Amino acid sequence: MPQNNLSDQAPDNKFNRILHSHKNLINFQFPAQEDYDFYWPAEHFGLEKSSLFRALSLFEQEKILILHSNHVLNEAYFIEQAGMKFAAKMILQAELTENAQFYCFMSSDEAVHLQILKKYLKLSDSNFLKQSSFLQLLHQIIEELEPQKLLYLVQIILEGWGQNHYLKLSKSCLNQEFKSDLQKILKDEALHTLAGKTLLKPKSFSIEQKTDLIDKLSAYASMIRKGELSSIKIIDFSLGGLSKQTKIKFLEEIDNLKTTQKKLELLMNLAAQTGMEEIVQSVCDRNLFEPCSNHETVNF
Ligand SMILES: [Fe+2]
Ligand SMILES: [Fe+2]
């Protein structure tokens, strides 16, 4: 596990009060004006298509939506936290003043995004970070890789992914205040991705570096092709141990393969930057842009 994961301080800590007097946070309404138990409807997760979900009581359905909402918020929270770390590394490694300046601004954007998520996520779950293989990989990549690789893997692919993710979240968000906060984040992420595309030098990669990029892109694809694992885990946890057949039926009904295929296409398109085609082709040759079967997914 990466050494440098951040933990959170109590809100009444003295340093927290200093942090909140910074001009970027001083006008922050905290907590959110309206308190919601969950921020996205069943349709956002495709749950309305599941006969299992529809047959549950309103109380049980809400419980599952709260857990889905918490999953989304925790994931976004820790990705923004990693974003601050990424920008800090890029500041240190920048060769031009203007590049360093950009990453200082970007770091500040990510800190604000983190604060936005704090408004809605009452308590971040440190176990979420420890248990997420994606977040662990992200931290490892940020700590170990050199700037050009990071531009490709984090600033272009993951920020581009984030842009798409936040767009979907803002479209179906039930809370107007959060919806407009998500749109603000989205605007920043678009600029971060654009800067990454502008600074990427595909010709600078050696054969060894390309091999590493292929491995890392393969790792991303391998995680995504597993499909809606978090939904399965939440449903299984809430309802107390479902059979394999029930899980497979659930995945079929929520169109897991179709959704996963779309996600893999998005990843492929983000990775297919001019000059990076051979990286994408190598991952394609490993058949990693194809979803796992529903049967395989329930066995993970
Ligand atoms: Fe961000
Ligand atoms: Fe960003």
Side-chain angles (χ1 to χ4, degrees):
M1 192 165 111
Q3 297 300 304
N4 234 353
N5 289 340
L6 301 170
S7 50
D8 296 345
Q9 246 174 3
D12 59 351
N13 179 282
K14 193 176 171 189
F15 187 77
N16 247 328
R17 291 199 291 276
I18 297 172
L19 171 72
H20 283 268
S21 63
H22 188 274
K23 63 179 165 43
N24 282 357
L25 299 188
I26 200 130
N27 290 324
F28 244 87
Q29 283 160 343
F30 189 80
Q33 284 171 323
E34 281 179 273
D35 209 6
Y36 277 49
D37 288 330
F38 57 89
Y39 291 96
W40 295 277
E43 291 75 13
H44 180 81
F45 307 98
L47 292 169
E48 85 291 358
K49 290 181 269 183
S50 156
S51 52
L52 176 71
F53 181 81
R54 289 197 308 266
L56 297 174
S57 68
L58 213 57
F59 174 77
E60 284 172 316
Q61 287 187 353
E62 281 195 5
K63 191 172 127 194
I64 286 170
L65 289 175
I66 291 168
L67 289 171
H68 273 82
S69 202
N70 279 342
H71 179 91
V72 168
L73 287 166
N74 267 294
E75 190 176 61
Y77 178 87
F78 287 112
I79 288 176
E80 295 298 346
Q81 205 187 58
M84 294 192 306
K85 191 160 142 179
F86 165 80
K89 179 161 179 182
M90 297 302 271
I91 296 165
L92 287 175
Q93 308 264 340
E95 288 171 8
L96 296 172
T97 308
E98 288 71 17
N99 294 6
Q101 248 186 314
F102 179 83
Y103 287 110
C104 285
F105 291 135
M106 180 170 164
S107 176
S108 160
D109 291 343
E110 308 301 10
V112 171
H113 299 170
L114 190 77
Q115 194 60 30
I116 289 174
L117 291 160
K118 276 187 187 177
K119 274 167 73 174
Y120 304 97
L121 174 66
K122 272 129 230 146
L123 199 61
S124 66
D125 175 4
S126 56
N127 284 327
F128 188 94
L129 177 60
K130 286 178 203 142
Q131 287 160 7
S132 162
S133 42
F134 166 67
L135 289 168
Q136 293 303 317
L137 173 70
L138 176 58
H139 276 274
Q140 187 205 346
I141 283 176
I142 293 171
E143 281 169 26
E144 293 175 5
L145 268 48
E146 59 267 47
Q148 272 295 317
K149 284 186 193 168
L150 287 178
L151 273 178
Y152 181 62
L153 292 167
V154 178
Q155 202 171 337
I156 296 176
I157 298 180
L158 292 187
E159 294 263 349
W161 180 276
Q163 221 179 302
N164 190 278
H165 183 59
Y166 281 126
L167 176 66
K168 282 195 215 149
L169 291 178
S170 73
K171 275 186 181 167
S172 54
C173 188
L174 298 166
N175 174 305
Q176 286 309 313
E177 186 187 348
F178 197 6
K179 198 190 247 300
S180 80
D181 276 341
L182 286 164
Q183 281 159 0
K184 281 181 219 152
I185 298 183
L186 185 58
K187 222 172 146 188
D188 293 338
E189 304 301 8
L191 189 67
H192 299 168
T193 315
L194 180 65
K197 288 181 182 174
T198 311
L199 294 172
L200 184 73
K201 294 180 191 130
K203 286 185 184 149
S204 70
F205 292 117
S206 65
I207 293 176
E208 268 182 5
Q209 286 177 315
K210 282 181 187 169
T211 308
D212 192 29
L213 290 180
I214 292 165
D215 288 342
K216 297 295 187 295
L217 183 58
S218 296
Y220 286 175
S222 299
M223 287 177 186
I224 294 168
R225 67 191 291 273
K226 288 180 180 171
E228 302 295 313
L229 270 183
S230 54
S231 261
I232 278 281
K233 280 183 185 161
I234 289 170
I235 298 267
D236 198 31
F237 169 79
S238 306
L239 303 181
L242 301 176
S243 71
K244 264 189 192 173
Q245 278 319 311
T246 308
K247 287 183 196 170
I248 291 172
K249 189 179 173 202
F250 170 77
L251 288 173
E252 283 169 357
E253 287 184 346
I254 66 165
D255 282 333
N256 172 54
L257 292 182
K258 206 169 140 192
T259 314
T260 307
Q261 183 65 60
K262 273 192 191 162
K263 287 183 180 175
L264 287 164
E265 277 165 22
L266 172 65
L267 176 69
M268 192 159 75
N269 290 336
L270 289 165
Q273 299 296 315
T274 309
M276 303 304 280
E277 295 84 357
E278 86 181 86
I279 309 283
V280 177
Q281 190 55 51
S282 300
V283 180
C284 234
D285 294 343
R286 295 179 181 182
N287 296 325
L288 294 175
F289 286 123
E290 285 165 27
C292 295
S293 68
N294 288 332
H295 196 270
E296 282 173 289
T297 295
V298 300
N299 284 328
F300 286 122

